[in-house]
Amino acid sequence: MAAPLHGEDGLIWAPGWLDRAAQQVLLEDVRAVLRRAPLYTPTMPRSGAPLSVRMSNAGALGWVTDKQDGYRYQATHPATGAPWPPIPARLLALWSDILPDAPPPEACLINWYGQAGARMGLHRDRDEEDLETPVLSVSLGADAWFRLGGLRRGDPTRRMKLSSGDVLALAGKSRHFYHGIDRIVPDSSTLLTSPQRLNLTLRRVTRA
Ligand SMILES: O=C(O)CCC(=O)C(=O)O
Ligand SMILES: [Mn+2]
């Protein structure tokens, strides 16, 4: 757990921040959340096409999408109607370790890449009322090729490999950058059965 690296454009990069034991206890926390708030298959606004990533949330607010109402935050699970479970204390601690000056996160999106073809297209995180507080993401399980671009969709992109235990924060200018997951690398981690990957994305939604 070395100090996080501060890269260009405000990017904060902490590869290997969580060791194997820390990944395992966090995975148990996530499993406990998923028992109360099961993964569901989100769908695209308007077209209703299913995303290849299944999702759930923890926190006062969760990010959801479906054909009818599109991208949004809401306090309840779209299938069960129950409030989301609280964000695990370990994740709140991790947030303040990496982002000591940020207001606490309100949403923890759980992205589950469950099959080899699962991916996430290039997008910006912009459904939050607070677009300045950094977005922090934790990777567990299989490696993933993360693509990071710039402020405009057509800007040049670079790719970074995200591995289990890595923590990345889009802060400063990079908070507004296009990004996505090109693909998952099978047989790259033993934390979860290949090719599964979990990503936890913590965000502040309302203005503090
Ligand atoms: O899975 C990842 O590492 C990225 C997730 C992401 O960008 C998002 O949920 O908005
Ligand atoms: Mn994103």
Side-chain angles (χ1 to χ4, degrees), residues 43-45 51 63-66 69-73 123 126-127:
T43 52
M44 292 292 288
L51 274 59
W63 187 87
V64 298
T65 173
D66 56 31
D69 297 316
Y71 302 159
R72 63 197 187 275
Y73 282 92
H123 67 277
R126 52 172 185 177
D127 299 319

Side-chain angles (χ1 to χ4, degrees), residues 26-42 51 53-59 61-64 77 84-88 91 107-113 120 136 138 140 192 197-203:
L26 183 56
L27 182 59
E28 286 317 309
D29 287 346
V30 174
R31 287 191 168 129
V33 168
L34 293 178
R35 280 195 288 275
R36 290 173 60 187
L39 292 163
Y40 78 100
T41 300
L51 274 59
V53 178
R54 299 184 73 209
M55 296 182 177
S56 186
N57 288 272
L61 292 168
W63 187 87
V64 298
H77 191 292
W84 304 105
I87 299 178
L91 278 176
C108 173
L109 173 63
I110 302 171
N111 290 311
W112 185 69
Y113 299 77
M120 191 175 284
L136 183 140
V138 185
L140 291 174
L192 294 164
R197 169 176 188 260
L198 275 169
N199 164 266
L200 311 171
T201 285
L202 293 152
R203 304 192 187 102

Side-chain angles (χ1 to χ4, degrees), residues 45 68 125 148:
Q68 177 106 7
D125 290 9
L148 184 64

